[in-house]
Amino acid sequence: MDKYEKKVRIDQIESLMRQGEFAEAVSIADSIDWRTEKKIRTLRMVSEVYKINKRYEDAFQVLMIAYDKNPDDPIKKKIVYDLCELTIKMRETAYAVKFFKEYVMLSPRDPGRYILQYKLYKEQEVAIDERIAVLEEFKEKYYADFREKWAYELAYLYHTSGQEGKCVDECDELILWFVKGPY
């Protein structure tokens, strides 16, 4: 496949993703050898197509191609985040922990570390009190980045652990800050 044909197919994948035609996008993605792709952004997009279609192994392989290209730190941080999140979904705990540690080293002050840590704890079925501690620290340090999904998770954990007062307080705050929305 020449460069022009490859570019046309990548453009088709992008267009199909915008239209929500993910099955068709993945069939086009399957027709390309991604080992020759130089653009990290394209590799991340293709990995997303595979993830949406629940083809996690393929998504992992494409992300590893991006990871091995050794891009500059801002982009590498995103790839490592994606790899950590994906390996958590794949229930590959050893890989997930490895990528989580690398992510924290690359970006120790990024609020995404709390989200990854929480997802990792949830997958590992870590005690509820420890999961609560992660979300409370996230909320305390990065209140501006604390979204309604995490506020709801925290309220649910309070409820599950029998801390009804904290659950009600968190729900009141959830209603105050996120008036409309799915939660």
Side-chain angles (χ1 to χ4, degrees):
M1 172 183 319
D2 65 7
K3 288 182 181 183
Y4 177 76
E5 187 179 353
K6 184 176 178 182
K7 184 185 177 343
V8 167
R9 289 185 185 185
I10 290 170
D11 290 344
Q12 286 175 326
I13 292 170
E14 287 176 349
S15 175
L16 289 167
M17 282 188 67
R18 280 192 299 274
Q19 296 169 17
E21 300 289 333
F22 304 114
E24 214 173 306
V26 84
S27 68
I28 294 171
D30 285 339
S31 70
I32 300 173
D33 180 6
W34 295 108
R35 294 174 294 187
T36 61
E37 180 57 43
K38 293 178 181 152
K39 294 180 183 173
I40 302 299
R41 181 188 156 290
T42 300
L43 292 169
R44 288 183 71 222
M45 176 198 61
V46 170
S47 174
E48 192 63 31
V49 168
Y50 284 126
K51 279 190 270 186
I52 289 168
N53 284 283
K54 296 187 183 341
R55 291 182 46 188
Y56 301 130
E57 278 296 324
D58 293 325
F60 180 78
Q61 294 303 322
V62 171
L63 279 176
M64 287 305 294
I65 293 168
Y67 180 83
D68 291 338
K69 294 216 181 275
N70 201 16
D72 58 358
D73 280 353
I75 295 173
K76 186 167 187 163
K77 177 180 85 167
K78 292 176 183 180
I79 295 166
V80 172
Y81 185 95
D82 291 346
L83 281 165
C84 184
E85 196 171 51
L86 180 60
T87 52
I88 290 169
K89 262 186 191 170
M90 294 170 67
R91 297 189 167 150
E92 295 286 345
T93 307
Y95 278 122
V97 169
K98 173 193 173 291
F99 289 124
F100 174 72
K101 287 179 180 177
E102 185 175 351
Y103 183 77
V104 171
M105 280 185 4
L106 287 171
S107 188
R109 291 183 182 85
D110 191 286
R113 71 181 290 263
Y114 293 100
I115 295 168
L116 289 176
Q117 186 175 15
Y118 177 76
K119 288 179 177 182
L120 191 55
Y121 277 11
K122 190 173 180 180
E123 178 60 36
Q124 293 176 318
E125 298 180 5
V126 170
I128 288 177
D129 292 342
E130 291 183 52
R131 288 187 261 169
I132 288 172
V134 169
L135 291 180
E136 285 176 339
E137 187 177 347
F138 178 26
K139 181 179 177 181
E140 180 184 319
K141 289 186 177 181
Y142 298 100
Y143 193 78
D145 295 312
F146 197 69
R147 304 284 183 240
E148 67 182 309
K149 174 181 181 175
W150 305 114
Y152 177 81
E153 279 289 322
L154 183 56
Y156 178 76
L157 290 174
Y158 284 144
H159 170 73
T160 303
S161 67
Q163 300 178 50
E164 299 303 323
K166 285 186 174 183
C167 175
V168 170
D169 291 344
E170 194 63 37
C171 287
D172 287 345
E173 204 170 317
L174 182 65
I175 292 167
L176 178 66
W177 288 105
F178 306 105
V179 178
K180 295 180 181 175
Y183 300 95

